[in-house]
Amino acid sequence: MTDQKVELAGAPHFDVMVDHPGKDLKFKANFEVYPEIKVTGLKTLQVEKPIVSITDKDETKVMDSLRKQKVSWKKVDRTSQEKDQMIIDFEGFIDGEPFDRGAAKDFSIELGSKQMIPGFEEGLVGLKADDQKDLKLQFPKDYHEDTLKGKDVLFKIVVKAVKQADLPKLDDSFAESFQLKSLKDLKAEVKKNMQRQLDEKINQSIKTQVTEHLLKENKVAVPSAILGQEIRAMKVAAFSRMGRQPSEDDLKNIPDDAFKEEAERRIQVGLLFRSYVSEHEIKLDNDK
């Protein structure tokens, strides 16, 4: 294979033809090879580079987000309003009967978070500690639990506490909670991170334009051996995102077709770049 400059795409399959003592071994080796590709369409390639700058408004938005990460909640003696946190007991009934996982004690909910079904949080606005209220609602028709889809439900609510967000001040003490010495250092770090993320977004935009153009201009045959490997890798990655190590049965139970189109695209992009690198003898920069 080295002499013939044959580049395998996956392991070969062997069919033995002669295997007898005193005779030469004869076999057939069936294998796929990488397709020969010459990248075309580069002369018509055009990309648009977004011109974007980080504004004071952007920085303020990120700083506000950091403040919310460090929020504390204090009890208030008033009726609840949007963005308040409430501590409640509730129990749900369908056709007059309680249902599984339809009740909770000392349940914490932030009004406006859309944590519960439509109407639940809205129904809590205007209540204060020790208030009680019945909410007649309906589970959405596309609710994730089949037994509850579209069902009418009655929630009995008891309010334990109403709390108001207490956001920290933007000062050096706030910066110290992020292991930085001063507010000035924190703002500098925030801006640096924002610029890095922005640069990554711009580079990704350019890369996407390049790959989409190359895929349009070049038809690349995908070796089935590589396709199978890529589909398997994507399945394993999907389980990893769910925090699971899949068994062989897990992998077999997911249809390949769910990943095939994206797997083919990834391989085609990889083969195109691989071919271009080889043709132009592009070498890695050791300094990088």
Side-chain angles (χ1 to χ4, degrees), residues 31-265:
F31 54 86
E32 291 181 291
V33 297
Y34 281 97
E36 293 185 9
I37 302 170
K38 184 166 179 63
V39 180
T40 61
L42 292 171
K43 290 184 178 179
T44 58
L45 172 60
Q46 292 183 329
V47 297
E48 290 185 359
K49 181 177 180 179
I51 305 299
V52 188
S53 59
I54 296 170
T55 67
D56 291 343
K57 186 177 178 180
D58 296 324
E59 291 183 52
T60 298
K61 187 175 180 180
V62 173
M63 295 302 291
D64 286 343
S65 178
L66 293 178
R67 290 176 72 202
K68 288 177 182 176
Q69 291 178 24
K70 303 290 184 179
V71 67
S72 59
W73 297 92
K74 63 178 182 181
K75 286 185 180 181
V76 289
D77 186 18
R78 60 166 173 76
T79 57
S80 59
Q81 56 193 32
E82 190 82 0
K83 297 185 179 179
D84 279 346
Q85 183 187 78
M86 298 183 72
I87 309 300
I88 63 172
D89 293 344
F90 71 85
E91 187 172 14
F93 298 85
I94 294 177
D95 296 329
E97 297 293 331
F99 60 94
D100 288 342
R101 299 191 300 279
K105 295 282 188 182
D106 295 323
F107 184 74
S108 173
I109 183 169
E110 186 175 342
L111 302 187
S113 64
K114 297 188 180 351
Q115 182 180 348
M116 305 295 279
I117 65 172
F120 192 99
E121 293 169 34
E122 293 86 343
L124 298 179
V125 173
L127 302 180
K128 61 182 185 298
D130 299 325
D131 279 354
Q132 297 184 25
K133 187 174 182 179
D134 291 352
L135 291 178
K136 293 181 179 180
L137 304 173
Q138 186 180 62
F139 281 99
K141 292 181 180 178
D142 58 353
Y143 194 66
H144 61 270
E145 197 165 324
D146 289 340
T147 57
L148 299 177
K149 288 181 177 179
K151 293 279 189 178
D152 291 327
V153 58
L154 170 67
F155 285 107
K156 290 185 173 292
I157 312 288
V158 177
V159 180
K160 296 288 199 63
V162 177
K163 296 183 178 183
Q164 178 178 294
D166 187 15
L167 293 171
K169 293 180 180 179
L170 284 176
D171 53 21
D172 290 347
S173 296
F174 178 67
E176 288 170 4
S177 69
F178 291 94
Q179 287 73 54
L180 292 167
K181 292 182 179 180
S182 67
L183 182 60
K184 182 180 178 181
D185 291 341
L186 176 60
K187 288 183 175 181
E189 187 68 21
V190 164
K191 189 163 187 176
K192 184 174 76 173
N193 286 334
M194 291 176 72
Q195 189 63 54
R196 176 180 54 79
Q197 292 175 24
L198 176 59
D199 292 342
E200 288 175 358
K201 285 281 188 183
I202 291 173
N203 287 336
Q204 186 59 48
S205 170
I206 293 170
K207 182 178 177 181
T208 299
Q209 292 176 65
V210 172
T211 54
E212 291 299 331
H213 178 82
L214 291 180
L215 287 171
K216 182 181 177 182
E217 296 293 323
N218 297 270
K219 302 302 178 186
V220 181
V222 175
S224 59
I226 304 177
L227 180 60
Q229 293 170 12
E230 184 66 24
I231 289 174
R232 179 185 175 85
M234 291 176 69
K235 288 182 180 181
V236 171
F239 277 100
S240 295
R241 287 193 293 273
M242 295 185 288
R244 285 185 55 193
Q245 184 67 32
S247 65
E248 287 301 317
D249 286 340
D250 288 331
L251 298 177
K252 288 177 183 176
N253 288 335
I254 300 179
D256 288 355
D257 287 347
F259 299 91
K260 186 177 179 182
E261 185 176 344
E262 178 60 22
E264 286 181 336
R265 185 183 183 282

Side-chain angles (χ1 to χ4, degrees), residues 266-284:
R266 290 186 184 186
I267 294 168
Q268 288 168 340
V269 171
L271 292 175
L272 285 167
F273 277 100
R274 184 175 181 274
S275 173
Y276 187 84
V277 166
S278 176
E279 180 184 346
H280 294 272
E281 298 182 349
I282 297 173
K283 304 297 182 184
L284 288 174

